[in-house]
Amino acid sequence: MIAAQFDYKVPNSLEEAVSLIAADPDGSKILAGGHSLIPAMKLRLAQPQVLVDIARIKSLAYIREQGDEILIGATTTHYQLESSALLRQICPLLPLCAASIGDVQVRNKGTIGGSLAHSDPAGDWPAAALALKAELVLIGQGGERVVKADDFFVDFLTTDLQPGEILREIRIKKPTGKFGHAYEKVPHPASGFAVVGVAVNLSLKADGSCESASIGVTGVGVKAYRPNGAESALSGSSLNDAAVIEAASHACDGVDLNNDLFASGEYRCHLAKVHTRRAIAKAKASAK
Amino acid sequence: MLQGDATRLSFEGGTYSLQAASAAAATGSSDPVVPVAEAPAAALPEPQTEGRTSLTIQEIALAAHIAKDLPPDTEPGLSATYFFEPKNFTFPFGTHIAVVEVDRETGDIKFLRYVAVDDCGKVINPMLVDGQIHGGIVQSIGQAMYEEVVYDEQGQLITGTLMDYAVPRAHHVPHFELDRTETPSPGIRWASRVLVRQVRLVLHPLLSEPSLMRCRHSVLSISTCP
């Protein structure tokens, strides 16, 4: 439970952080809230040579509207997202997801960027990022690139982040028209991580039928994913009970199911279907 | 009364559900010392001050320890060890009712109410008694619903951290509605009963297999849920 030896650097700006990790791209790790990385280091699952702590770069923590987008700085804490009056109004899925994470202490320290960059198979933010079709802004010495959430989560604890790159910003298109959000989660009783988490982002037509649906599911497979069968079953449907049940039945189609002490793969898949159905119903009920 | 301090007591079994309180209540703390204090009375000095008819405990203790004029066959000192055996053992009793809602689709159990009425005889310290009951209920909920020590086939403990082994926290347990009756215990001077963590014995069958917990594990064939 004691981490291997490492160097610790505290840059004052993003530019400085980028050049610090450029010096040793493979041996460096970015530290923000430390709620994913530090436990991994204590178990020696991660043994970085250099930790570059970006939590004190003030300009990396923000939530703002810009044109038709919402911009979120990578070191914005779960609590800042949970308590944002702006987000509750224009994108409630973010505060809903934030509120389900850990406890108050964790939410005050942990960051959205850290959670996304870690891609824990039981993390909450990947589900919300997928459901909101977020774009992630990555910066390295070669400049910036923007990656869609769909392409960002690659595998178990693996993202598209390359050595020497830092996740700087999360960009989300502001939901427009009539829309509804919901996040349903079964927390593990000990760790609080998601055994199953389902984020739903519904766009409705004036008559209440479904214009489009995007859904993110976490906890069920090696990484968070979008259940395409469920989304396409909803799209254009009337959202009546039968349509919602049919859509939810595709919640874990084709997924290599996680299987652990607390929940078998079969039980997880069952929970994913139940909570996908409930999340769709909640999102529909909350739509305005 | 002292308990739970091995540096001061040669024999002690921990608080063990307030057993010591009950034992102290049963004996009355001054009883064992009185016969010893009486024994060297003949050797006690006269009060030094005119008009005084009593001695301080310090004067008595000094005389008993110096032991200059003790009668024959009298042990010096002013202490006694007393082992107490009650006429009969005492038991608390009570009834606990958990009102729960079972989510038939997921097997989740939600407490709607938790009502407990216990009787431990004469209550000496209500706060400690409530604490014993709170602790017993929470331990029971943990045992029935969350806690399990699991080893893999190689004998490796795989629930070795609090990230795997679920100890119930505040949000896992319901509000407790507690009440008590006080039935004096016969044969115990202060009529208290040992409030054993018998609560656990009460609650465990309420929540554990083969009743509610079966729901969680057999949710895929929900018909077996009571």
Side-chain angles (χ1 to χ4, degrees), chain A residues 27-54:
Chain A
S28 301
K29 269 282 191 185
I30 296 293
L31 177 69
H35 277 63
S36 302
L37 181 57
I38 301 285
M41 288 172 64
K42 284 180 153 187
L43 294 169
R44 301 208 175 191
L45 295 172
Q47 299 194 21
Q49 306 293 308
V50 183
L51 277 191
V52 178
D53 186 347
I54 60 168

Short mmCIF file of all heavy atoms in Angstrom, two decimals, chain A residues 27-54:
data_model
loop_
_atom_site.label_atom_id
_atom_site.label_comp_id
_atom_site.label_asym_id
_atom_site.label_seq_id
_atom_site.Cartn_x
_atom_site.Cartn_y
_atom_site.Cartn_z
N GLY A 27 7.30 8.00 -18.87
CA GLY A 27 7.43 7.83 -17.42
C GLY A 27 6.60 8.82 -16.62
O GLY A 27 6.55 8.72 -15.39
N SER A 28 5.95 9.78 -17.30
CA SER A 28 5.21 10.83 -16.58
C SER A 28 3.72 10.52 -16.52
O SER A 28 3.17 9.90 -17.43
CB SER A 28 5.39 12.18 -17.29
OG SER A 28 6.74 12.53 -17.36
N LYS A 29 3.12 10.97 -15.44
CA LYS A 29 1.66 10.86 -15.32
C LYS A 29 1.14 12.21 -14.82
O LYS A 29 1.77 12.86 -13.98
CB LYS A 29 1.29 9.78 -14.29
CG LYS A 29 1.10 8.40 -14.92
CD LYS A 29 -0.25 8.32 -15.60
CE LYS A 29 -0.59 6.88 -15.99
NZ LYS A 29 -1.85 6.86 -16.76
N ILE A 30 -0.04 12.56 -15.32
CA ILE A 30 -0.68 13.79 -14.87
C ILE A 30 -1.47 13.47 -13.60
O ILE A 30 -2.25 12.52 -13.56
CB ILE A 30 -1.63 14.33 -15.96
CG1 ILE A 30 -0.83 14.73 -17.20
CG2 ILE A 30 -2.45 15.49 -15.43
CD1 ILE A 30 0.08 15.91 -17.00
N LEU A 31 -1.28 14.29 -12.58
CA LEU A 31 -2.07 14.17 -11.34
C LEU A 31 -3.03 15.35 -11.25
O LEU A 31 -2.62 16.50 -11.43
CB LEU A 31 -1.12 14.18 -10.13
CG LEU A 31 -1.79 14.13 -8.75
CD1 LEU A 31 -2.43 12.77 -8.52
CD2 LEU A 31 -0.78 14.42 -7.65
N ALA A 32 -4.31 15.08 -11.00
CA ALA A 32 -5.27 16.18 -10.81
C ALA A 32 -5.89 16.00 -9.43
O ALA A 32 -5.32 16.42 -8.43
CB ALA A 32 -6.29 16.18 -11.93
N GLY A 33 -7.04 15.33 -9.36
CA GLY A 33 -7.64 15.09 -8.04
C GLY A 33 -7.02 13.89 -7.32
O GLY A 33 -7.12 13.75 -6.11
N GLY A 34 -6.41 13.01 -8.09
CA GLY A 34 -5.71 11.86 -7.50
C GLY A 34 -6.61 10.72 -7.06
O GLY A 34 -6.14 9.77 -6.44
N HIS A 35 -7.90 10.78 -7.41
CA HIS A 35 -8.79 9.75 -6.89
C HIS A 35 -8.83 8.48 -7.71
O HIS A 35 -9.46 7.50 -7.33
CB HIS A 35 -10.19 10.31 -6.67
CG HIS A 35 -10.25 11.01 -5.35
ND1 HIS A 35 -9.50 12.12 -5.09
CD2 HIS A 35 -10.92 10.73 -4.21
CE1 HIS A 35 -9.71 12.50 -3.85
NE2 HIS A 35 -10.57 11.68 -3.29
N SER A 36 -8.17 8.49 -8.88
CA SER A 36 -7.99 7.25 -9.62
C SER A 36 -6.53 6.84 -9.59
O SER A 36 -6.19 5.68 -9.36
CB SER A 36 -8.43 7.43 -11.09
OG SER A 36 -9.78 7.84 -11.14
N LEU A 37 -5.65 7.82 -9.81
CA LEU A 37 -4.23 7.52 -9.96
C LEU A 37 -3.58 7.09 -8.63
O LEU A 37 -2.81 6.12 -8.61
CB LEU A 37 -3.51 8.75 -10.52
CG LEU A 37 -2.00 8.60 -10.76
CD1 LEU A 37 -1.70 7.44 -11.70
CD2 LEU A 37 -1.41 9.89 -11.31
N ILE A 38 -3.87 7.81 -7.56
CA ILE A 38 -3.19 7.51 -6.28
C ILE A 38 -3.51 6.08 -5.81
O ILE A 38 -2.59 5.34 -5.43
CB ILE A 38 -3.54 8.54 -5.19
CG1 ILE A 38 -3.14 9.95 -5.65
CG2 ILE A 38 -2.89 8.19 -3.86
CD1 ILE A 38 -1.67 10.26 -5.62
N PRO A 39 -4.79 5.64 -5.84
CA PRO A 39 -5.05 4.24 -5.45
C PRO A 39 -4.28 3.26 -6.33
O PRO A 39 -3.74 2.25 -5.84
CB PRO A 39 -6.56 4.08 -5.64
CG PRO A 39 -7.11 5.46 -5.51
CD PRO A 39 -6.05 6.37 -6.08
N ALA A 40 -4.21 3.55 -7.63
CA ALA A 40 -3.48 2.65 -8.54
C ALA A 40 -2.00 2.63 -8.19
O ALA A 40 -1.34 1.59 -8.28
CB ALA A 40 -3.69 3.09 -9.99
N MET A 41 -1.47 3.80 -7.78
CA MET A 41 -0.04 3.85 -7.40
C MET A 41 0.22 3.10 -6.10
O MET A 41 1.24 2.44 -5.94
CB MET A 41 0.41 5.31 -7.26
CG MET A 41 0.53 6.02 -8.61
SD MET A 41 0.85 7.79 -8.43
CE MET A 41 2.45 7.78 -7.63
N LYS A 42 -0.73 3.23 -5.18
CA LYS A 42 -0.55 2.54 -3.90
C LYS A 42 -0.53 1.03 -4.09
O LYS A 42 0.16 0.31 -3.36
CB LYS A 42 -1.68 2.92 -2.93
CG LYS A 42 -1.51 4.29 -2.32
CD LYS A 42 -2.65 4.58 -1.39
CE LYS A 42 -2.25 5.54 -0.30
NZ LYS A 42 -3.31 5.69 0.70
N LEU A 43 -1.30 0.54 -5.03
CA LEU A 43 -1.29 -0.90 -5.33
C LEU A 43 -0.16 -1.26 -6.29
O LEU A 43 -0.01 -2.41 -6.68
CB LEU A 43 -2.64 -1.32 -5.94
CG LEU A 43 -3.84 -1.22 -5.00
CD1 LEU A 43 -5.15 -1.39 -5.77
CD2 LEU A 43 -3.75 -2.27 -3.89
N ARG A 44 0.61 -0.26 -6.70
CA ARG A 44 1.71 -0.39 -7.66
C ARG A 44 1.23 -0.92 -9.01
O ARG A 44 1.99 -1.57 -9.74
CB ARG A 44 2.85 -1.24 -7.08
CG ARG A 44 3.39 -0.61 -5.81
CD ARG A 44 4.84 -0.91 -5.53
NE ARG A 44 5.28 -0.16 -4.36
CZ ARG A 44 6.56 -0.06 -3.99
NH1 ARG A 44 7.50 -0.63 -4.70
NH2 ARG A 44 6.87 0.64 -2.92
N LEU A 45 -0.06 -0.67 -9.29
CA LEU A 45 -0.55 -0.95 -10.64
C LEU A 45 -0.02 0.14 -11.57
O LEU A 45 0.12 -0.06 -12.77
CB LEU A 45 -2.08 -0.95 -10.67
CG LEU A 45 -2.75 -2.06 -9.86
CD1 LEU A 45 -4.25 -1.87 -9.79
CD2 LEU A 45 -2.43 -3.42 -10.48
N ALA A 46 0.23 1.32 -11.02
CA ALA A 46 0.86 2.40 -11.77
C ALA A 46 2.13 2.79 -11.03
O ALA A 46 2.10 2.94 -9.80
CB ALA A 46 -0.09 3.60 -11.87
N GLN A 47 3.24 2.92 -11.77
CA GLN A 47 4.51 3.32 -11.14
C GLN A 47 5.19 4.40 -11.97
O GLN A 47 6.26 4.18 -12.54
CB GLN A 47 5.44 2.11 -11.01
CG GLN A 47 4.84 1.00 -10.15
CD GLN A 47 5.88 -0.04 -9.74
OE1 GLN A 47 7.08 0.20 -9.75
NE2 GLN A 47 5.40 -1.21 -9.37
N PRO A 48 4.53 5.58 -12.05
CA PRO A 48 5.15 6.65 -12.84
C PRO A 48 6.45 7.13 -12.20
O PRO A 48 6.59 7.10 -10.98
CB PRO A 48 4.08 7.76 -12.82
CG PRO A 48 3.25 7.48 -11.63
CD PRO A 48 3.29 6.00 -11.41
N GLN A 49 7.37 7.57 -13.07
CA GLN A 49 8.63 8.14 -12.58
C GLN A 49 8.40 9.57 -12.10
O GLN A 49 9.03 10.03 -11.16
CB GLN A 49 9.68 8.17 -13.70
CG GLN A 49 9.91 6.83 -14.37
CD GLN A 49 10.56 5.84 -13.43
OE1 GLN A 49 11.59 6.14 -12.83
NE2 GLN A 49 9.95 4.68 -13.26
N VAL A 50 7.51 10.28 -12.84
CA VAL A 50 7.29 11.70 -12.56
C VAL A 50 5.78 11.97 -12.48
O VAL A 50 5.03 11.55 -13.37
CB VAL A 50 7.88 12.58 -13.70
CG1 VAL A 50 7.71 14.06 -13.35
CG2 VAL A 50 9.34 12.24 -13.94
N LEU A 51 5.36 12.64 -11.43
CA LEU A 51 3.98 13.10 -11.34
C LEU A 51 3.96 14.59 -11.63
O LEU A 51 4.71 15.36 -11.01
CB LEU A 51 3.41 12.88 -9.94
CG LEU A 51 2.86 11.51 -9.58
CD1 LEU A 51 2.12 11.60 -8.25
CD2 LEU A 51 1.93 11.00 -10.65
N VAL A 52 3.11 14.99 -12.56
CA VAL A 52 2.96 16.40 -12.88
C VAL A 52 1.58 16.84 -12.39
O VAL A 52 0.57 16.42 -12.95
CB VAL A 52 3.13 16.65 -14.40
CG1 VAL A 52 2.94 18.12 -14.72
CG2 VAL A 52 4.50 16.16 -14.86
N ASP A 53 1.59 17.63 -11.33
CA ASP A 53 0.34 17.96 -10.64
C ASP A 53 -0.29 19.22 -11.26
O ASP A 53 0.24 20.33 -11.09
CB ASP A 53 0.65 18.20 -9.15
CG ASP A 53 -0.61 18.41 -8.34
OD1 ASP A 53 -1.70 18.62 -8.93
OD2 ASP A 53 -0.53 18.38 -7.09
N ILE A 54 -1.40 19.03 -11.98
CA ILE A 54 -2.02 20.18 -12.66
C ILE A 54 -3.19 20.75 -11.86
O ILE A 54 -3.86 21.68 -12.31
CB ILE A 54 -2.50 19.82 -14.08
CG1 ILE A 54 -3.55 18.69 -14.04
CG2 ILE A 54 -1.31 19.42 -14.95
CD1 ILE A 54 -4.26 18.50 -15.36
#
